[in-house]
Amino acid sequence: MTKPLFLIIDDERNFSEFLKEALEGEGYEVALAGTARAGLELARKSLPRVVLLDQNLPDQQGLALLPEFQRLASVPVVIVITAHAEVGYAVTALKAGAFHYLPKPFAFDDLLAVLAQAAITNDLLSPTSSNAAMQSIIGTSAAVHELRRQLVRIAASPVPAVLLEGESGTGKELAARAIHDASARRSAPFVAVNCAALSETLLMSELFGHERGSFTDARQQKKGVFELAHGGTLLLDEVSEMGVRAQAALLRALEQRSFTRVGGQSEIKVDVRVIAASNRDMRQLVSTGQFRIDLYHRLNVVRVMLPSLRERTVDIPLIAEHLSRSIALSYGESVRPVTPAAVAALEGYEWPGNIRELRNVIERAYVISGGPQVELRDLPDELHPVPAAIQTGDVAVRSAESGRFQDAKREVVEHFERGYLLEALRKAGGNVTSAAERAGVLRQVFQRMLLRHGITPTDFRDSTSTRVRHPE
């Protein structure tokens, strides 16, 4: 089989020669170019599968070549590199069609992790393959590079059990699916079950299935998730919430690689990689006797700790843009860029709910605002920078206590939001559609705001009077 061609376009000769030698050891055929012009000519002639593109070239900026690469008969995977690690530049590169972005200096392992991801999402042998889960792990921080590197290496190994730990909302199911999609098991099923969502009896049936008549309402035989995931991957989410009986049954299934359906007699052999996920400290649960130590060690063959969002705030602008594109697609709308002021507010927040909470905030902005951008005013109050004082009309707020200040600030916002709604309705003669258009929001959003403030549109449908009525 022909080796995939790797084209390096970089004017630093020593750096390029080092990478060439290292990549040839990984099985690539490598070509070098020191200028944008020479690199583009080589690409047109040889159609490389991967291009490592430096931004600062002697004759042209590297990003200017991205549209040219998109026009090639076989579009390559482009990894952009630069000595200037700027988040804004990374976003621009990704939007322009780059597969990934690596700031110099980077470890060769980082490049290998990106290439392993590209080998799946673009499948350097078959363009039809994809790994959307790995591609959705967004970020350029050291924590994300390390996470991707671990997931790729776990996927390539035959390890039978993996433990994913991390706070709620950090993307544990996404990481589990990335491992599956990057592994030799990717053509077999990926099955997930939430252990906290079921009683212990129902969980046992969900895991191992049951025979007809094994309990009340068991009218027919049912296959469990272990059986359904045969040859593939089984994700046990919130595994820490399992009861004692379920823990014992799970331990036996992992040790024997077989199980018996509830109410059954026959042993069923299975080949499954088990990925267990928890947002609690499993070692602490073991030390307090809430989780079996032998099961913990059986699951903890390889442990991955997913970083919280506050540990990688540098990734927030990229993640916010990615989420904005995803939400726009699901809503059938145009993408709304996140303004710098809004990004600054996102970066300054603690994110106890991590990426899940960030997605909710971006989605909320799409719902409540009809504007072309996600702006600071579209974000919840708790994300707004707190000024030294707020003074509007006869309301002045000056407080050193964050809790009291936020309450007063919310009161100010509510006061003026209510006044704005009343004025819009007065000018529209009580017509909600017209008032919503004046306010620049969707009619449904305007109605929800009226409901929240207890305002009735019929109060303003007196054509003989323009007096505003305040129902207080």
Side-chain angles (χ1 to χ4, degrees):
M1 183 179 292
T2 305
K3 293 181 180 181
L5 179 62
F6 197 118
L7 173 59
I8 300 174
I9 307 177
D10 194 305
D11 60 330
E12 294 184 31
R13 191 71 184 181
N14 290 338
F15 172 76
S16 297
E17 291 285 359
F18 165 77
L19 279 183
K20 181 176 185 295
E21 183 176 347
L23 288 165
E24 285 174 343
E26 294 293 323
Y28 290 94
E29 180 184 346
V30 183
L32 304 180
T35 66
R37 181 176 179 178
L40 186 56
E41 287 178 0
L42 260 175
R44 286 170 174 164
K45 291 177 183 177
S46 57
L47 297 178
R49 301 309 306 275
V50 187
V51 175
L52 191 65
L53 176 65
D54 188 26
Q55 163 61 357
N56 299 308
L57 296 169
D59 55 339
Q60 196 175 3
Q61 292 292 293
L63 285 189
L65 296 181
L66 288 174
E68 299 296 331
F69 292 141
Q70 296 293 322
R71 297 188 187 102
L72 296 178
S74 176
V75 179
V77 172
V78 180
I79 303 166
V80 176
I81 55 174
T82 181
H84 305 288
E86 297 176 359
V87 171
Y89 173 78
V91 173
T92 302
L94 294 173
K95 285 183 176 180
F99 175 77
H100 213 282
Y101 166 89
L102 286 174
K104 289 182 179 178
F106 57 83
F108 186 61
D109 276 353
D110 291 340
L111 177 58
L112 289 181
V114 175
L115 290 174
Q117 179 182 345
I120 298 152
T121 56
N122 294 273
D123 195 11
L124 300 177
L125 300 176
S126 170
T128 60
S129 179
S130 66
N131 183 347
M134 190 75 78
Q135 206 167 15
S136 295
I137 300 174
I138 304 298
T140 59
S141 65
V144 169
H145 282 311
E146 175 61 18
L147 175 61
R148 287 200 201 95
R149 185 186 68 80
Q150 289 183 38
L151 297 182
V152 167
R153 292 193 173 183
I154 290 169
S157 75
V159 63
V162 181
L163 179 61
L164 302 179
E165 290 191 85
E167 296 177 8
S168 179
T170 50
K172 292 184 287 295
E173 183 167 351
L174 187 66
R177 188 170 287 276
I179 291 172
H180 173 78
D181 290 351
S183 73
R185 297 176 178 268
R186 60 180 174 270
S187 59
F190 174 89
V191 183
V193 60
N194 188 324
C195 300
L198 301 168
S199 67
E200 188 165 52
T201 299
L202 289 177
L203 179 59
M204 293 281 284
S205 175
E206 189 70 16
L207 290 175
F208 308 116
H210 61 252
E211 297 292 353
R212 180 181 177 182
S214 58
F215 56 85
T216 305
D217 294 332
R219 296 186 177 90
Q220 59 186 8
Q221 184 191 78
K222 175 190 173 182
K223 292 183 177 180
V225 291
F226 262 93
E227 198 168 350
L228 294 173
H230 179 65
T233 304
L234 173 60
L235 169 63
L236 301 177
D237 199 9
E238 298 194 64
V239 70
S240 54
E241 307 310 307
M242 270 190 172
V244 175
R245 191 162 66 96
Q247 289 182 37
L250 175 59
L251 176 62
R252 182 185 181 283
L254 293 175
E255 289 179 338
Q256 303 295 326
R257 296 191 177 185
S258 65
F259 64 92
T260 304
R261 294 195 192 109
V262 176
Q265 301 294 326
S266 303
E267 287 283 320
I268 300 172
K269 294 288 185 181
V270 285
D271 171 23
V272 174
R273 170 183 272 165
V274 173
I275 300 179
S278 175
N279 57 16
R280 301 176 67 184
D281 186 335
M282 295 293 291
R283 285 173 292 192
Q284 177 66 25
L285 295 177
V286 168
S287 67
T288 57
Q290 297 176 68
F291 200 84
R292 293 180 62 125
I293 188 170
D294 47 3
L295 177 57
Y296 170 74
H297 288 303
R298 177 65 65 175
L299 293 172
N300 189 28
V301 178
V302 177
R303 177 176 177 267
V304 178
M305 188 72 187
L306 275 73
S308 66
L309 194 52
R310 63 183 170 276
E311 293 176 287
R312 56 185 190 107
T313 54
V314 68
D315 295 328
I316 287 177
L318 281 174
I319 297 171
E321 289 291 341
H322 171 77
L323 292 174
S324 184
R325 289 195 297 272
S326 172
I327 292 165
L329 181 63
S330 66
Y331 279 34
E333 297 184 13
S334 298
V335 178
R336 300 183 195 176
V338 184
T339 64
V343 168
L346 297 177
E347 291 176 313
Y349 183 60
E350 285 293 309
W351 298 110
N354 293 291
I355 298 172
R356 185 182 293 121
E357 184 182 6
L358 176 56
R359 181 184 175 84
N360 290 344
V361 166
I362 301 295
E363 189 164 12
R364 174 186 182 275
Y366 269 74
V367 172
I368 69 169
S369 170
Q373 302 181 104
V374 175
E375 301 189 37
L376 178 60
R377 65 187 179 194
D378 302 326
L379 305 181
D381 288 350
E382 58 267 25
L383 270 72
H384 289 196
V386 180
I390 292 180
Q391 183 170 335
T392 314
D394 62 341
V395 180
V397 180
R398 292 180 179 88
S399 174
E401 296 183 51
S402 176
R404 287 177 54 197
F405 179 84
Q406 290 296 343
D407 289 343
K409 177 184 174 183
R410 190 173 296 107
E411 184 179 340
V412 170
V413 173
E414 291 290 319
H415 174 79
F416 283 95
E417 184 177 274
R418 178 183 175 82
Y420 184 76
L421 294 171
L422 293 169
E423 183 65 11
L425 276 174
R426 185 189 68 78
K427 289 181 178 179
N431 186 298
V432 175
T433 300
S434 178
E437 290 176 355
R438 287 173 180 271
V441 299
L442 296 173
R443 186 177 188 278
Q444 298 93 319
V445 174
F446 193 84
Q447 285 179 315
R448 287 198 294 270
M449 294 169 73
L450 292 177
L451 184 63
R452 189 171 73 249
H453 287 278
I455 300 172
T456 305
T458 53
D459 293 343
F460 302 90
R461 291 177 186 162
D462 180 3
S463 58
T464 63
S465 173
T466 58
R467 186 176 44 154
V468 177
R469 177 181 173 191
H470 295 266
E472 295 174 339

